[in-house]
Amino acid sequence: MSSEATPLVGIIMGSKSDMPAMEACTEQLDAFGVPYELVIASAHRAPAKVHEWASTAADRGIKVIIAAAGMAAALPGVIAAMTPLPVVGVPINSSLDGTDALLSIVQMPPGIPVATMGINGAMNAAILAVKIVALTDPEVAARLDTYRERLVDKIVKANEELAKIDTYKYKV
Ligand code: RP5
Protein backbone atom coordinates (compact mmCIF):
# COMPACT_ATOMS: atom_id res chain seq x y z
CA MET A 1 0.00 0.00 0.00
CA SER A 2 1.27 3.47 -0.90
CA SER A 3 2.46 5.59 2.01
CA GLU A 4 0.34 8.41 0.48
CA ALA A 5 -2.92 6.55 1.26
CA THR A 6 -4.94 8.01 4.09
CA PRO A 7 -4.88 5.66 7.07
CA LEU A 8 -8.37 4.92 8.40
CA VAL A 9 -7.28 2.81 11.37
CA GLY A 10 -4.39 3.48 13.72
CA ILE A 11 -2.85 0.45 15.39
CA ILE A 12 -0.52 1.11 18.31
CA MET A 13 1.21 -1.51 20.42
CA GLY A 14 3.04 -1.14 23.71
CA SER A 15 5.98 -3.26 22.62
CA LYS A 16 7.45 -5.16 19.69
CA SER A 17 6.71 -8.27 21.74
CA ASP A 18 2.98 -7.59 21.16
CA MET A 19 3.35 -7.96 17.39
CA PRO A 20 2.82 -11.74 17.06
CA ALA A 21 -0.48 -11.48 18.93
CA MET A 22 -1.53 -8.55 16.74
CA GLU A 23 -0.90 -10.27 13.41
CA ALA A 24 -4.54 -11.42 13.33
CA CYS A 25 -5.51 -7.74 13.36
CA THR A 26 -3.31 -6.61 10.47
CA GLU A 27 -4.30 -9.72 8.48
CA GLN A 28 -7.98 -8.78 8.75
CA LEU A 29 -7.44 -5.14 7.82
CA ASP A 30 -5.36 -6.29 4.83
CA ALA A 31 -8.17 -8.66 3.82
CA PHE A 32 -10.75 -5.86 4.03
CA GLY A 33 -8.47 -3.43 2.18
CA VAL A 34 -8.57 -0.90 5.01
CA PRO A 35 -5.41 1.24 5.19
CA TYR A 36 -3.82 1.50 8.62
CA GLU A 37 -0.89 2.93 10.53
CA LEU A 38 1.13 0.52 12.65
CA VAL A 39 3.34 1.90 15.41
CA ILE A 40 4.95 0.87 18.67
CA ALA A 41 4.92 3.27 21.61
CA SER A 42 4.51 2.69 25.31
CA ALA A 43 2.45 4.83 27.69
CA HIS A 44 5.04 4.11 30.37
CA ARG A 45 8.29 4.04 28.39
CA ALA A 46 7.58 6.66 25.70
CA PRO A 47 4.67 8.86 26.87
CA ALA A 48 5.68 11.85 24.73
CA LYS A 49 5.59 9.72 21.56
CA VAL A 50 2.19 8.33 22.54
CA HIS A 51 0.87 11.85 23.06
CA GLU A 52 2.26 13.11 19.76
CA TRP A 53 0.79 10.16 17.81
CA ALA A 54 -2.61 10.00 19.53
CA SER A 55 -3.32 13.72 19.65
CA THR A 56 -2.72 14.08 15.88
CA ALA A 57 -4.35 10.81 14.75
CA ALA A 58 -7.69 12.39 13.78
CA ASP A 59 -5.86 15.04 11.72
CA ARG A 60 -4.23 12.27 9.68
CA GLY A 61 -7.67 10.89 8.72
CA ILE A 62 -7.76 8.02 11.20
CA LYS A 63 -11.33 7.08 12.20
CA VAL A 64 -10.63 4.53 14.93
CA ILE A 65 -7.64 3.51 17.02
CA ILE A 66 -6.73 -0.02 18.05
CA ALA A 67 -4.40 -0.01 21.05
CA ALA A 68 -2.80 -3.22 22.30
CA ALA A 69 -0.78 -3.68 25.45
CA GLY A 70 0.06 -6.23 28.10
CA MET A 71 0.76 -6.18 31.85
CA ALA A 72 -0.34 -2.85 33.49
CA ALA A 73 -1.82 -1.89 30.14
CA ALA A 74 -2.35 1.87 30.38
CA LEU A 75 -1.89 2.52 26.66
CA PRO A 76 -5.50 2.25 25.39
CA GLY A 77 -6.93 4.33 28.24
CA VAL A 78 -4.25 6.99 28.00
CA ILE A 79 -4.86 7.27 24.28
CA ALA A 80 -8.63 7.50 24.82
CA ALA A 81 -7.92 10.53 27.02
CA MET A 82 -5.94 12.20 24.23
CA THR A 83 -8.30 11.86 21.25
CA PRO A 84 -12.01 12.13 20.41
CA LEU A 85 -11.63 9.01 18.21
CA PRO A 86 -13.10 5.69 19.37
CA VAL A 87 -10.45 3.45 20.92
CA VAL A 88 -10.53 -0.34 20.76
CA GLY A 89 -8.34 -1.96 23.40
CA VAL A 90 -6.66 -5.35 23.05
CA PRO A 91 -5.31 -6.89 26.26
CA ILE A 92 -2.18 -8.89 25.42
CA ASN A 93 -1.31 -12.02 27.34
CA SER A 94 2.23 -11.31 28.50
CA SER A 95 1.76 -12.12 32.21
CA LEU A 96 -0.95 -13.45 34.57
CA ASP A 97 -2.65 -15.07 31.54
CA GLY A 98 -3.53 -11.58 30.30
CA THR A 99 -5.97 -10.86 33.13
CA ASP A 100 -3.80 -7.99 34.35
CA ALA A 101 -4.03 -6.29 30.95
CA LEU A 102 -7.74 -7.09 30.57
CA LEU A 103 -8.65 -5.42 33.87
CA SER A 104 -6.30 -2.49 33.23
CA ILE A 105 -7.99 -1.79 29.89
CA VAL A 106 -11.63 -2.53 30.67
CA GLN A 107 -11.95 -0.68 33.99
CA MET A 108 -11.97 2.85 32.63
CA PRO A 109 -13.32 5.77 34.63
CA PRO A 110 -16.68 7.23 33.49
CA GLY A 111 -16.35 9.51 30.48
CA ILE A 112 -13.28 7.87 28.92
CA PRO A 113 -14.43 4.55 27.43
CA VAL A 114 -12.27 1.94 25.74
CA ALA A 115 -14.06 -0.77 23.74
CA THR A 116 -12.21 -3.69 25.29
CA MET A 117 -11.73 -6.95 23.39
CA GLY A 118 -11.05 -10.34 24.90
CA ILE A 119 -7.48 -11.33 25.79
CA ASN A 120 -5.42 -11.40 22.56
CA GLY A 121 -8.64 -10.41 20.74
CA ALA A 122 -6.75 -8.91 17.83
CA MET A 123 -9.04 -10.27 15.14
CA ASN A 124 -12.19 -8.91 16.74
CA ALA A 125 -10.48 -5.55 17.19
CA ALA A 126 -9.99 -5.44 13.43
CA ILE A 127 -13.59 -6.44 12.72
CA LEU A 128 -14.92 -3.78 15.09
CA ALA A 129 -12.69 -1.18 13.43
CA VAL A 130 -13.93 -2.33 10.01
CA LYS A 131 -17.52 -1.90 11.21
CA ILE A 132 -16.76 1.68 12.27
CA VAL A 133 -15.08 2.45 8.94
CA ALA A 134 -18.00 0.81 7.09
CA LEU A 135 -20.42 3.37 8.53
CA THR A 136 -19.05 5.97 6.10
CA ASP A 137 -17.38 3.80 3.42
CA PRO A 138 -19.78 1.87 1.13
CA GLU A 139 -17.02 -0.31 -0.38
CA VAL A 140 -15.87 -1.50 3.03
CA ALA A 141 -19.53 -1.95 4.02
CA ALA A 142 -20.05 -4.25 1.01
CA ARG A 143 -16.98 -6.32 1.98
CA LEU A 144 -18.32 -6.53 5.53
CA ASP A 145 -21.66 -7.85 4.22
CA THR A 146 -19.84 -10.57 2.26
CA TYR A 147 -17.74 -11.46 5.31
CA ARG A 148 -20.86 -11.78 7.47
CA GLU A 149 -22.61 -13.93 4.86
CA ARG A 150 -19.60 -16.28 4.87
CA LEU A 151 -19.88 -16.65 8.64
CA VAL A 152 -23.48 -17.82 8.19
CA ASP A 153 -22.41 -20.20 5.37
CA LYS A 154 -19.85 -21.77 7.71
CA ILE A 155 -22.54 -22.53 10.29
CA VAL A 156 -24.88 -23.96 7.62
CA LYS A 157 -22.08 -26.24 6.35
CA ALA A 158 -21.13 -27.28 9.90
CA ASN A 159 -24.75 -28.33 10.53
CA GLU A 160 -24.86 -30.27 7.26
CA GLU A 161 -21.73 -32.16 8.30
CA LEU A 162 -23.14 -32.74 11.77
CA ALA A 163 -26.31 -34.21 10.29
CA LYS A 164 -24.21 -36.84 8.45
CA ILE A 165 -22.62 -38.19 11.64
CA ASP A 166 -24.52 -41.27 12.78
CA THR A 167 -22.41 -42.37 15.74
CA TYR A 168 -24.50 -40.64 18.43
CA LYS A 169 -26.55 -43.16 20.36
CA TYR A 170 -29.46 -41.00 21.55
CA LYS A 171 -29.41 -38.18 19.02
CA VAL A 172 -32.87 -37.83 17.44
C1 RP5 B 1 3.63 -3.80 27.85
O1 RP5 B 1 4.51 -4.63 28.54
C2 RP5 B 1 3.72 -4.22 26.43
O2 RP5 B 1 2.53 -3.94 25.76
C3 RP5 B 1 4.00 -5.69 26.50
O3 RP5 B 1 2.81 -6.46 26.37
C4 RP5 B 1 4.57 -5.87 27.89
C5 RP5 B 1 5.99 -6.37 27.90
O4 RP5 B 1 6.78 -5.52 27.10
P1 RP5 B 1 8.28 -5.93 26.73
O5 RP5 B 1 9.05 -5.99 28.02
O6 RP5 B 1 8.23 -7.27 26.04
O7 RP5 B 1 8.78 -4.84 25.82
O8 RP5 B 1 3.98 -2.47 28.00
Side-chain angles (χ1 to χ4, degrees), residues 96-144:
L96 302 179
D97 289 332
T99 53
D100 45 359
L102 173 63
L103 294 177
S104 300
I105 295 174
V106 79
Q107 290 291 55
M108 287 299 292
I112 310 291
V114 170
T116 307
M117 302 296 101
I119 294 163
N120 284 2
M123 179 184 168
N124 267 359
I127 302 298
L128 183 54
V130 165
K131 287 189 166 197
I132 292 169
V133 170
L135 291 172
T136 51
D137 187 323
E139 282 182 25
V140 174
R143 285 178 215 137
L144 185 59

Side-chain angles (χ1 to χ4, degrees), residues 14-15 17-18 45 68-71 92 94:
S15 167
S17 65
D18 298 327
R45 294 166 174 160
M71 305 185 83
I92 300 294
S94 54

Side-chain angles (χ1 to χ4, degrees), residues 143-154:
R143 285 178 215 137
L144 185 59
D145 284 344
T146 306
Y147 172 82
R148 296 178 69 236
E149 280 158 18
R150 284 198 194 128
L151 290 183
V152 175
D153 288 347
K154 265 172 90 173

Side-chain angles (χ1 to χ4, degrees), residues 11-164:
I11 306 173
I12 185 165
M13 297 168 285
S15 167
K16 198 176 165 197
S17 65
D18 298 327
M19 282 183 69
M22 289 304 288
E23 267 169 26
C25 179
T26 52
E27 276 169 17
Q28 284 300 318
L29 294 179
D30 284 335
F32 277 98
V34 172
Y36 53 89
E37 282 186 3
L38 185 62
V39 299
I40 294 165
S42 160
H44 298 118
R45 294 166 174 160
K49 180 171 171 59
V50 169
H51 182 263
E52 203 275 327
W53 184 85
S55 61
T56 56
D59 298 336
R60 292 193 299 282
I62 289 172
K63 305 288 181 218
V64 49
I65 289 174
I66 296 172
M71 305 185 83
L75 186 64
V78 162
I79 287 176
M82 293 172 174
T83 175
L85 295 173
V87 176
V88 180
V90 183
I92 300 294
N93 179 8
S94 54
S95 59
L96 302 179
D97 289 332
T99 53
D100 45 359
L102 173 63
L103 294 177
S104 300
I105 295 174
V106 79
Q107 290 291 55
M108 287 299 292
I112 310 291
V114 170
T116 307
M117 302 296 101
I119 294 163
N120 284 2
M123 179 184 168
N124 267 359
I127 302 298
L128 183 54
V130 165
K131 287 189 166 197
I132 292 169
V133 170
L135 291 172
T136 51
D137 187 323
E139 282 182 25
V140 174
R143 285 178 215 137
L144 185 59
D145 284 344
T146 306
Y147 172 82
R148 296 178 69 236
E149 280 158 18
R150 284 198 194 128
L151 290 183
V152 175
D153 288 347
K154 265 172 90 173
I155 297 293
V156 170
K157 277 194 194 111
N159 274 298
E160 285 168 0
E161 279 159 28
L162 191 60
K164 286 182 205 153

